[in-house]
Amino acid sequence: MSPNKFFKHEGPWSDANDPLMCSDTGDWRTKRPVVDKDTCIFCGFCAIYCPIQVMEMVENSHFTPDLAFCKGCGICAKECPKNAISMIAEGDF
Amino acid sequence: MTGKKKGKLTKVLDYLKHEDPFSKGVAFCPGCGLELLLRFIPQVLGNDIVITGTPSCSAPVLLGQNNQSWHTLSYFGTLMTGAAANATGLARYYRKAGIKNTVVCFNGDGTAADIGFGNLSGAAERNEPFIYICYDNEGYMNTGVQKSATTPYGASTTTTPFGTASKGKNLRRMNLALKMAMHKIPYAATATLSDLGDLAKKLLKAKEAKERGFAFLHVFAPCTTGWGYAPENTIEVCRRAVKTNYFPLWEAINGKIRMTKTVKKPKPVSTYTELMKKFAHLNEADLQILQDDVDYEYCMLGGLSTLEAECHIPESVED
Ligand SMILES: Cc1ncc(C[n+]2csc(CCOP(=O)(O)OP(=O)(O)O)c2C)c(N)n1
Ligand code: SF4
Ligand code: SF4
Ligand code: SF4
């Protein structure tokens, strides 16, 4: 069942039971966060502060961004206490 | 799994007990504080909340577009003039019908502090059972960065631009959270995104308090586009706002104020303003006016949070 228990339609015209709208926000990115697995201490700060909540846990070992939607804001890199994340220009990939 | 040295996972993750109900690709600017706040709230409070709110930067995402939605929460869109009155109707309906849920009236400062303040104050005075969250980006962002009552002294906005005839807003900001606490509601608090554990606790307290009536949260949520700072600095802006006492963290239960974080050696407000283009034109004298306002507000809060010694504070008059 949809978690939308209270209204059938969540706006006057939109229906939350249909597939959700989703933009390819990964395409907005000019810089890509790259995590150095060995420097990462698995503290999770990048994950809690990421506005899009796209930092995913990998094998209880480190975090990695979902690049399909990461907008490249750089908050994760800025907030990482170990500087384990580098922001690299998209043109370099 | 691997043998390398690990720190401890931040406790904030323990508060995120529920799914993020938003689709991954939604229409907020990169680095937007509002996006983090909106994804955080239902992960803490649960997905069975009903959100209601007004035209603003949050509306395009909360309301949906064309025939589709960006999330699976229940959302009820209202006019800026009557947000809290609409939330009152929703909350009363659910109470009468015996449906247990949480109504969250979620609005920008333009609605909360200016256009919809009258009915916000009225709902608080009547102690209506819902949570009102004001995300404060210090202006009308969705319509192109106009000043609001919470825009601080000196800030350049499109209606208070820096130029030959104007040096930014020439008035001091209004303290919305304090004003709401003075309604002596069951719960009022300030919070921001650098202190997510504190925000999570306050959300849960607000949910609990709304069983007794009105709960108000004032969340400082920086806007990278309107304030002119690099998107990666959103959390740093929040942190410095707290460390300079520009945005102190406190809560008030039935009007009784308690600081939830005290900063031992507050930094000058210039360490906060230097991050943003909207303050770039301020000279020392202007900065002093802003500093004096920050100091005055903090002093006032300090006085209010230590009143016990001087006067008897009634707990509450609920039955
Ligand atoms: C009564 C009324 N006046 C003006 C508008 C136009 N309007 C639409 S969005 C908006 C800005 C809202 O500002 P705020 O509530 O601070 O939210 P933000 O855009 O900052 O997220 C305005 C003024 C409106 N919708 N209704
Ligand atoms: S903030 Fe840095 S150290 Fe912490 S989990 Fe993320 S990448 Fe690893
Ligand atoms: S760059 Fe921004 S959007 Fe991308 S993972 Fe880091 S914090 Fe999230
Ligand atoms: S204009 Fe500001 S508040 Fe609006 S989506 Fe962009 S960053 Fe967020």
Side-chain angles (χ1 to χ4, degrees):
Chain A
M1 197 189 95
S2 156
N4 180 4
K5 289 187 200 143
F6 301 107
F7 302 156
K8 188 160 171 242
H9 302 279
E10 61 94 34
W13 50 73
S14 53
D15 189 344
N17 294 308
D18 287 343
L20 293 184
M21 192 158 36
C22 191
S23 297
D24 295 329
T25 48
D27 289 354
W28 301 2
R29 205 172 46 242
T30 54
K31 283 185 182 158
R32 181 184 298 190
V34 176
V35 182
D36 176 3
K37 286 187 221 174
D38 296 326
T39 319
C40 170
I41 54 164
F42 198 54
C43 64
F45 285 121
C46 53
I48 59 166
Y49 288 129
C50 169
I52 305 149
Q53 302 281 287
V54 286
M55 272 288 178
E56 290 164 358
M57 237 182 235
V58 184
E59 297 167 341
N60 287 328
S61 143
H62 63 279
F63 283 83
T64 191
D66 180 345
L67 292 173
F69 301 109
C70 160
K71 295 175 185 172
C73 67
I75 290 178
C76 52
K78 171 96 186 176
E79 294 303 320
C80 172
K82 291 285 159 190
N83 290 325
I85 304 178
S86 320
M87 298 302 294
I88 314 276
E90 279 296 327
D92 293 347
F93 291 93
Chain B
M1 295 282 159
T2 59
K4 85 188 146 135
K5 274 183 229 90
K6 295 291 178 196
K8 269 203 190 121
L9 265 178
T10 164
K11 288 210 175 70
V12 172
L13 287 168
D14 298 342
Y15 288 108
L16 305 180
K17 293 200 191 317
H18 307 274
E19 245 178 83
D20 177 355
F22 289 87
S23 95
K24 282 295 168 205
V26 303
F28 290 116
C29 306
C32 172
L34 167 61
E35 175 161 10
L36 175 55
L37 176 63
L38 256 184
R39 290 185 187 273
F40 192 77
I41 293 168
Q43 288 187 76
V44 175
L45 290 183
N47 283 197
D48 57 345
I49 52 176
V50 174
I51 300 200
T52 167
T54 63
S56 64
C57 273
S58 60
V61 171
L62 286 172
L63 195 56
Q65 267 145 9
N66 302 329
N67 296 317
Q68 281 180 292
S69 37
W70 297 99
H71 63 87
T72 54
L73 299 170
S74 302
Y75 179 73
F76 185 74
T78 75
L79 299 179
M80 290 183 80
T81 41
N86 281 276
T88 296
L90 283 171
R92 285 191 187 184
Y93 163 76
Y94 291 123
R95 190 168 58 182
K96 233 178 193 172
I99 297 170
K100 283 209 173 300
N101 66 4
T102 303
V103 174
V104 178
C105 190
F106 186 81
N107 299 301
D109 49 286
T111 290
D114 296 349
I115 298 180
F117 180 74
N119 59 94
L120 161 58
S121 174
E125 193 271 332
R126 297 190 307 271
N127 205 23
E128 302 289 350
F130 65 90
I131 305 176
Y132 194 112
I133 299 179
C134 167
Y135 63 94
D136 190 0
N137 48 27
E138 300 187 334
Y140 296 78
M141 295 319 175
N142 192 243
T143 38
V145 198
Q146 291 85 14
K147 78 107 185 137
S148 76
T150 62
T151 305
Y153 175 82
S156 181
T157 69
T158 49
T159 43
T160 61
F162 167 63
T164 44
S166 150
K167 291 204 297 179
K169 185 174 169 182
N170 63 355
L171 298 162
R172 297 181 297 167
R173 65 184 166 163
M174 174 246 266
N175 192 323
L176 178 63
L178 205 49
K179 218 156 143 178
M180 293 315 296
M182 290 300 118
H183 286 73
K184 298 161 201 154
I185 46 181
Y187 196 68
T190 64
T192 191
L193 304 169
S194 52
D195 295 64
L196 288 174
D198 178 74
L199 170 60
K201 272 187 226 151
K202 286 169 175 172
L203 281 167
L204 293 169
K205 282 187 188 178
K207 185 173 182 178
E208 199 243 327
K210 76 112 177 52
E211 300 301 327
R212 285 171 282 125
F214 202 82
F216 180 81
L217 287 187
H218 186 168
V219 186
F220 181 75
C223 163
T224 153
T225 309
W227 296 11
Y229 65 83
E232 76 238 30
N233 277 340
T234 294
I235 307 300
E236 184 63 17
V237 167
C238 297
R239 190 175 289 123
R240 292 201 196 177
V242 174
K243 287 197 170 162
T244 55
N245 284 339
Y246 175 88
F247 194 84
L249 301 178
W250 54 268
E251 64 182 9
I253 295 168
N254 301 321
K256 187 175 165 185
I257 291 174
R258 183 180 81 86
M259 304 306 295
T260 52
K261 179 165 186 160
T262 40
V263 183
K264 283 210 182 81
K265 278 190 186 161
K267 297 255 188 313
V269 76
S270 56
T271 60
Y272 163 74
T273 55
E274 72 187 12
L275 290 173
M276 281 158 271
K277 205 171 148 200
K278 71 170 174 178
F279 294 119
H281 57 282
L282 297 190
N283 61 26
E284 250 174 60
D286 299 327
L287 276 173
Q288 194 56 47
I289 296 175
L290 185 60
Q291 181 73 57
D292 287 348
D293 191 42
V294 167
D295 292 347
Y296 166 65
E297 286 205 357
Y298 193 74
C299 180
M300 185 161 61
L301 265 180
L304 288 170
S305 62
T306 50
L307 275 180
E308 290 94 327
E310 318 233 342
C311 41
H312 168 68
I313 303 177
E315 276 304 314
S316 85
V317 288
E318 287 152 44
D319 45 26

